[in-house]
Amino acid sequence: MTRSEQPTPEYVAPHGLLNGRHVVVTAAAGAGIGSAVARRCLEEGAALVTIGDTHAARLEAAAAELASEFGAERVRHAVCNVTVDADIVALLDVAQAEGRPIDVMINNAGLGGTASILEMTDDQWSLVLDVTLTGTFRCIREAGRRMVADGTKGVIVNNASVIGWRAQEGQAHYAAAKAGVMALTRSAAMDLAEHGIRVNAVSPSLAMHPFLAKVTTPELLEQLKAKEAFGRAAEPWEIANVMVFLASDYSSYMTGEVVAVSSQHA
């Protein structure tokens, strides 16, 4: 069945869901989900948002734009490659420059790619797993240690994908990594529950942003959109809205959950 494309809804007005919170977001430069959630956190009243990314120039531009709109005192940034422990430590050190505890850690960093399992190299497999799964583990570990040390009943939100549940050609490495993020979320939640720290994840299906358009053929994008009940991709801010919900007190009894942000149909 061909689905007609439904219009994108109007941007949702903020409701102060994160008033006064201190938030860190990885892979937050550019125009993807990370950038959208950093902006959404500031709109929702976060007192401070610290963003990291591997792309220095793009990160500088993103931080400058947010600072000009929301105030320089509410935005920090540091180059961070989540495959490097020292980078993660440095990012969180920048975030905690005045010793203020981190309330919310949003682990958005991930890396995809397309390759048949028959041609996929060890290096391709290992890089996607290292960034997407092991990088998320490293960030949970470091943020969790700091939250426990500070006595913060914090929140960790991870970015998974419906590909962790559903098969897609050429995505064995990415699917394995995202399924791993889901399992990691559930287990980390149990480890951190006794400290009052919650760990949840979102699982988007198709969110449109410039990088996706760059690495995906128009034909495949149309096929993916046809699988969505609304006949369109999500806007990054629609994913960010659910991340903010999970970071807020509205989800206070949720931990170890993976929430699909998807309009896919059977």
Side-chain angles (χ1 to χ4, degrees), residues 70-105:
F70 297 100
E73 73 283 356
R74 295 177 65 194
V75 180
R76 291 181 183 158
H77 67 284
V79 173
C80 178
N81 181 338
V82 297
T83 69
V84 180
D85 277 324
D87 278 16
I88 297 167
V89 170
L91 174 66
L92 298 190
D93 283 348
V94 167
Q96 293 187 286
E98 285 84 39
R100 176 175 175 169
I102 295 167
D103 298 302
V104 179
M105 181 76 193

Side-chain angles (χ1 to χ4, degrees), residues 96-162:
Q96 293 187 286
E98 285 84 39
R100 176 175 175 169
I102 295 167
D103 298 302
V104 179
M105 181 76 193
I106 298 178
N107 297 316
N108 176 66
L111 179 69
T114 301
S116 165
I117 197 74
L118 299 175
E119 285 90 37
M120 188 179 295
T121 66
D122 284 5
D123 286 346
Q124 286 175 305
W125 171 271
S126 296
L127 181 58
V128 169
L129 269 289
D130 197 18
V131 174
T132 306
L133 176 56
T134 311
T136 300
F137 154 71
R138 293 185 186 102
C139 289
I140 293 173
R141 179 177 61 189
E142 184 61 27
R145 286 172 174 171
R146 294 182 186 225
M147 289 175 179
V148 170
D150 292 333
T152 307
K153 296 188 184 301
V155 184
I156 297 171
V157 181
N158 302 321
N159 194 355
S161 169
V162 296

